């Protein structure tokens, strides 16, 4: 298993979802028989897909819509939704600047402080329209706004950092968030992340996480790997953390769902993550392409506005259909980004998996879809490159 | 053999035809001595190449032409040929719409119901011109139109789904196609597919298949891997299914040919599939480039018109020569897409293989033709990219 | 060593020169001390580089120039030089047609028969100007023109086919070339190729080859791999054939040089082939870029004019300097295509290799220079792609 | 460990930094607690980053600025700074010529001899402004100018060649630099490089190096691998040389820092080199993009001006910010090329590494970021390729 990189340094080979493919078994299933339901924090959903807590992906309207469609969206409590009473002109500005002005603009917009009142207001707006109020904050934000979130009646609280651990060293002047204490005190389920290893996944479950987010570095709008060198390919990360979930369940009887987060674009990506052991997925860019998405055809990372070390770039993803089309079809595109539920059901049918639990057990092959010489020509033609 | 992706998830490495190359042995052969004949469903053909059952590839005229040239074409019974008495204006429309209008147009065109009379008419048109009437339908279509096909005098019936199995679960309201029963009742040979594993290949042979189609996910116009995550590289799939054929033959004395289907573009691709164990190949895009092809320079997948989950994209392949040039030469192009028979004979000569059986035994090397830095420059120049 | 592709099909991993790099040892050397001399067929040359027998690379003038510069060029006796008394207007036409007219033009030009008188005349033109008259023909051409070549006073005869073997099956009507007999009867040394395996290399030495050419499929202007599926990456092919040379030498005391042929573009490529065991290299495209090259900035394969199955494409390589600059410098380019001798001497110095024999022993690492995401951006900028 | 390339030739797999990723452990750290200090030649610096001795990267002003910011820059004593009293118009010319005129211009500019007076003057200019005077020369230059450098009061002397060894063979007419003797006689610390193997790294430490530079072939502006075939991917080279450092320290008690040099562009690259065992890094292109850089938005290699074998190409890197932004932020770009110190501290925090020594021990995974089919589309869009 351990490969020697050089004298005194060994490493393990980790696999990404682009390197695997799902292998049909001896049974097939009518897609209508595929049961995609899952539960997180006591809430059952038909579709195991969560929209990422990103400013270009989820606002109040998207959170409500996604809930109605059988999925869920998470509202970022430290983004523009809680810094500006009216975020619309702000979002217009973000969509209108050029590539070079983007980072400075984001840094300027995030200099505006978060207004606790707006946190409450956003949660209530979602609840009043019948949506599931799933919200997110960084560990620092969780310390500050945890009680407001609880009081405002949120359903789920995602505490998310690039990398989270149960053993965080802080300067003496700062009191770090005690995750165990925080989970105990919060009256609502707390989902923790992100992590990529068995050990950290297990430790997050032990401190009381109602779900864990898995994924560091793989996202389309995430540049952690380039900036920090940190990351682990998703197939390996998900399989490792799913093993932690299964071991934890065996010991305690508590089943803590594992959510693959980052780098997932197509229905096939989602299917592969579940086949590696995920219970659900969190996706950003596919929803950023919805007509109703706040990003106006753009998608950007959560670490972008960092005043000192911005990470996460802005990508023009375009607008390709309604959120309903993207989630439940009918698909108007043939590239795997529309009707994600249909893709999951069809894949489960093809693979003979009756439910998510069976889908987690399907056979996987290592089959890298690398760019070969022959494919470059083909792709170049499709992309309209060359003459 | 099993590689660990993560804790609790192992996978096998599967190989694609882009990752292998054929290794000359100690003998060479004059290409004129290479015998390429094969048999399927009691029909002998000089050329082990079948044109795919795709609307842009095979119509009545192509089926007849291919038969005359020593090969064979399969007519899709659930495409436009059986929905429209005169498919020509329909094909004109498909070729004329823009990229974004394509999927909606296909969905609209396929809303038109299949006319059983046209099934009969197409088969008779092929037969009356001396062609081999090989036709295809999905399992659902086979249930509905099987008896018409038999009565109309077809020679071979291809029952094809993205993935087929002998154990298919359906909703109670639906009676699924019993493949064993169907093969028994049909008075003509039934070819089944697609499959990618030893187990399923063997089970299809056991229920009475006269041939099996191997390949899921690898096609140029196929997006199954992106949409569903499902697929297995062709070299491994073909070798596994060929092993099933050999084992089945050893046990029963019945030799059921294995047809590699999907992702094959050049003569080299065809040679490599046979070297991995295939008896014949089914190809789409190379024939879509024929002057006589119904696609008018375009090629698209069979799952494209799905009203809920379209898969398979439309590719502009262009028109490069007559179907005779593509199949038997003389080649007017040097990229391996013309004179496929000549390429196969020359490859067999180079490798010292006297017939298909010997070609299945030639030595193979793993030799990925990946895109390296150096090659990008070269390729970019050839493609006319850059300045 | 053997990897399973699928049930019943195993393969060996073969490596290309793009996948390896040379590792410095504990000694370095002033490049002026590197001795690059080698011998083939009794002729000693300072530079172990031979220009390929291609119409765009070697004519009488190039053969003479290369001889004077310490290297050697091989004249193709079945190309335009022996079909046309004045090849200049022919070469002008080849350089002036568009991409689509190229293959038909080549087929037309090669319909003109070979004139035996011109074979004699070209050899004498080279000899009279003091050049080494190294010429090449296919096995069929060798049968026909062998005696003329010998009589005309050629120095070396290269008998070259895509793949050559000592056991070639022909139709009864054709008497195949008996390589052993041919080598025995020819009064001049015969170099045979191409081959890629230990067994065939050994058999060619046993029939009397004075040198063997190694390489199938890897050339820039060669499309054998696409058309035929046949090929083997150069690092492995060269190492295997070099082992045959060493074993043959141990047994017989005859040292038969191994010449790596195909796919070599830069000085680094040449160095890597020698490090894998080659005694010399044969290169085409680097010399096609010479001001004096007959190709006028174009380069094309020898199988291109095949009337039935053309292989080998035309590439615009441009003109970058004189043949002296390319071979001995000074370099006016920094990409490894100028001053190939200087590059070889500098590499030998860097690696501490005093002569070709020591260079064959230097340490090699597997270090694929694959195109990564990061590099695409860099390369795209260099290529002027994108905006 | 040894892989067979072919009969009689084995090789070891070497890994590049693009093939690895850093894996978070069970602890995280506030970035403010990450201690990045290191020492080289008795000098302590806050930031383990050295600017390369390249004409487009370091002049007197950059050396002073980098010193003030906690890092260091090395002045090339054999470049234009010591050939021209006023290098500004020379740098203007280099930035203004076209791609094809670049190599000849460099060859012309370097024909101008080095003026020993200017060596002294540049060192004094740096010292008088409070900068660290780190300078570099080739072994030949070190022989000639060593005493001047010492007398002029330089702080550190980098003796750098593409590949350096302690056993160098020279023609009899030339007295090669005896590295042991040179290190003994120089009154200031001597850093030696470049090397890539355990054995050479150890031998350089034994002759008295105060630091060693690791890296052959991987740089952006370096074409050694193409021209010479020589090179070794950085992750393996750094790990091997770091093992030599550790063994040497164990035996002698002397800790000789290992500096990764070449091919590093982003903060992530720097973090990965340290995680493989480096104490510091030397980078060129990231600083060539500074407003204050002498290259005016261009970057080129040190071997470019070679009159006979130029290596190292000129790349337009553009100007993206001040050297302070690049080194200490705040970042105005989100691609990992600004605020390199912040990236290192954040990465160390993410990985729970309190100091460079702990950072050298973090877990590494093999996780190639290869270009897949899917990513090409994404990247092509970002690059503005296609339509």
């Amino acid at each position: 298993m351990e490969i020697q990189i050089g004298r005194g340094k060994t490493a393990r080979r980790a696999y990404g979802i682009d390197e695997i493919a799902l292998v049909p078994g001896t049974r097939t299933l009518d897609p209508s028989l595929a049961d995609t339901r899952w539960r997180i924090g006591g809430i059952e959903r038909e579709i195991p897909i969560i929209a990422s807590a990103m400013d270009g992906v989820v606002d109040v309207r998207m959170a409500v819509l996604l809930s109605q469609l059988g999925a869920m969206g998470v509202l970022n409590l430290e983004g523009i939704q809680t810094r500006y009473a009216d975020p619309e002109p702000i979002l217009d500005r973000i969509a209108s600047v050029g590539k070079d002005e983007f980072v400075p603009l984001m840094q300027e917009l995030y200099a505006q402080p978060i207004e606790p009142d707006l946190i409450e207001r956003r949660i209530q707006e979602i609840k009043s329209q019948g949506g599931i109020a799933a919200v997110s904050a960084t560990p620092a934000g969780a310390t500050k706004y945890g009680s407001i979130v609880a009081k405002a009646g949120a359903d789920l609280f995602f505490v998310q950092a690039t990398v989270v651990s149960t053993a965080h060293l802080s300067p003496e002047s700062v009191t770090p968030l005690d995750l165990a204490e925080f989970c105990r005190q919060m009256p609502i389920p707390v989902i923790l992340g992100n992590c990529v290893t068995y050990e950290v996944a297990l430790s997050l479950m032990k401190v009381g996480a109602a779900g864990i987010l898995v994924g560091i570095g793989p996202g389309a709008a995430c540049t952690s790997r380039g900036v920090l060198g940190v990351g682990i390919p998703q197939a390996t990360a998900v399989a490792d953390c799913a093993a932690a979930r299964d071991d934890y369940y065996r010991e305690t009887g508590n089943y803590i769902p594992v959510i693959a987060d980052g780098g997932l674009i197509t229905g096939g990506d989602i299917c592969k993550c579940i086949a590696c052991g995920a219970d659900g997925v969190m996706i950003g860019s596919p929803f950023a392409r919805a007509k109703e998405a706040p990003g106006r055809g753009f998608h950007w990372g959560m670490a972008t506005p960092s005043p000192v070390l911005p990470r996460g770039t802005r990508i023009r993803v375009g607008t390709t259909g309604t959120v309903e089309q993207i989630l439940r079809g009918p698909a108007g595109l043939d590239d795997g980004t529309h009707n994600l539920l249909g893709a999951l059901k069809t894949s489960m049918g093809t693979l003979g998996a009756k439910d998510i639990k069976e889908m987690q057990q399907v056979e996987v092959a290592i089959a890298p879809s690398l760019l070969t010489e022959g494919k470059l020509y083909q792709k170049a033609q499709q992309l309209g490159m060359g003459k």
Side-chain angles (χ1 to χ4, degrees), chain A:
Chain A
M1 283 280 304
E2 286 294 301
I3 297 165
Q4 191 159 22
I5 286 181
R7 295 202 191 198
K9 195 85 198 181
T10 59
R12 173 191 179 198
R13 176 69 160 86
Y15 293 90
I17 52 168
D18 280 326
E19 297 182 284
I20 64 168
L22 307 182
V23 184
T26 53
R27 186 179 75 181
T28 49
L29 203 71
D30 193 275
S32 66
L33 298 178
D35 177 356
T36 60
R37 279 172 308 166
W38 77 311
R39 294 179 69 82
I40 179 161
I43 297 172
E44 184 180 288
R45 299 271 77 202
E46 183 195 353
I47 308 178
I49 300 176
I50 301 174
S52 306
M54 297 172 118
D55 283 353
V57 176
V58 178
D59 58 6
V60 168
R61 184 189 177 200
M62 276 292 276
V64 172
L65 260 170
L66 287 159
S67 300
Q68 287 166 348
L69 291 163
M72 191 192 295
V74 181
L75 192 79
N76 176 13
L77 292 188
E78 290 163 298
I80 43 182
Q81 297 291 330
T82 55
R83 292 177 201 268
Y84 297 92
D86 180 8
E88 297 307 317
I90 305 299
L91 288 161
D92 286 338
R93 275 183 72 191
I94 293 172
S96 65
V97 295
K99 206 179 147 76
D100 293 341
E101 306 155 83
F102 173 66
V103 168
L105 172 65
M106 292 306 286
Q107 290 170 335
E108 177 205 320
L109 293 175
Y110 270 58
Q112 177 81 5
I114 293 166
E115 291 184 31
D117 282 2
L118 285 175
I119 292 179
E120 223 180 313
R121 202 208 288 181
R122 298 300 175 219
I123 292 170
Q124 285 161 357
E125 285 170 352
I126 294 170
K127 295 301 292 177
S128 69
Q129 296 175 65
I132 295 168
V135 296
S136 91
T138 58
T143 313
K144 273 199 219 162
Y145 311 118
S147 55
I148 301 173
V149 167
K151 241 184 294 167
D155 296 299
L156 296 171
F157 196 2
F158 288 71
V159 178
Q160 238 184 320
T162 302
V163 173
V164 83
S165 84
T166 52
H168 182 75
L169 298 187
S170 295
E172 284 183 27
S173 57
V174 177
T175 312
L177 179 65
D178 179 331
L179 291 172
E181 183 61 21
F182 184 78
C183 291
R184 225 179 348 261
Q185 286 185 355
M186 281 296 285
I188 57 171
V190 178
I191 290 94
L192 297 176
N194 286 17
C195 67
V196 285
T197 61
Y198 176 92
E199 290 76 16
V200 175
L202 199 61
S203 73
L204 296 178
M205 291 171 187
K206 285 183 180 164
V207 298
I212 60 162
L213 295 156
V214 173
I216 297 171
C222 166
T223 55
S224 287
R225 192 152 163 195
V227 177
L228 307 180
V230 176
I232 193 107
Q234 273 294 45
T236 294
V238 168
D240 278 358
C241 295
R245 174 201 61 207
D246 293 344
D247 286 352
Y248 186 72
Y249 176 67
R250 217 167 290 130
E251 282 171 42
T252 66
N254 286 329
Y255 189 90
I256 310 300
V258 162
I259 301 152
D261 171 28
L264 310 180
I265 293 171
T266 64
D269 293 343
I270 294 169
C271 297
K272 289 195 243 175
C273 277
I274 296 176
C276 285
D279 296 282
V281 299
M282 177 173 260
I283 58 177
S285 67
F287 288 126
R289 303 171 83 193
K291 272 202 186 92
E292 301 91 341
R296 288 134 173 79
F298 287 97
H299 178 51
W300 60 91
M302 283 192 303
T304 302
S306 162
V308 288
L309 188 64
R311 296 187 297 290
T313 202
R314 185 187 65 168
I315 298 174
R316 176 188 274 285
V317 291
T319 296
T320 65
T322 63
V323 63
E324 182 165 4
Q325 270 187 292
I326 290 167
L327 206 47
R328 306 189 73 106
L333 283 179
D334 54 7
D335 62 359
T337 62
H338 275 189
N339 195 0
L340 298 174
L341 176 61
L344 177 56
K345 279 177 173 283
T346 304
S347 184
M348 289 171 74
T350 298
L351 299 163
K354 267 192 277 195
D355 53 31
I356 296 295
K357 224 54 220 158
E358 285 191 10
M359 186 67 172
Q360 290 171 350
Q361 309 298 328
V362 300
E363 194 184 333
V364 165
I366 295 174
S369 64
L370 291 176
L371 195 64
T372 58
E373 285 182 74
K375 285 174 186 167
L376 178 63
Y377 185 77
Q378 240 173 275
K379 287 281 153 185
Q381 279 184 316
Q382 278 173 250
L383 294 173
M385 296 194 292
K387 30 184 189 196

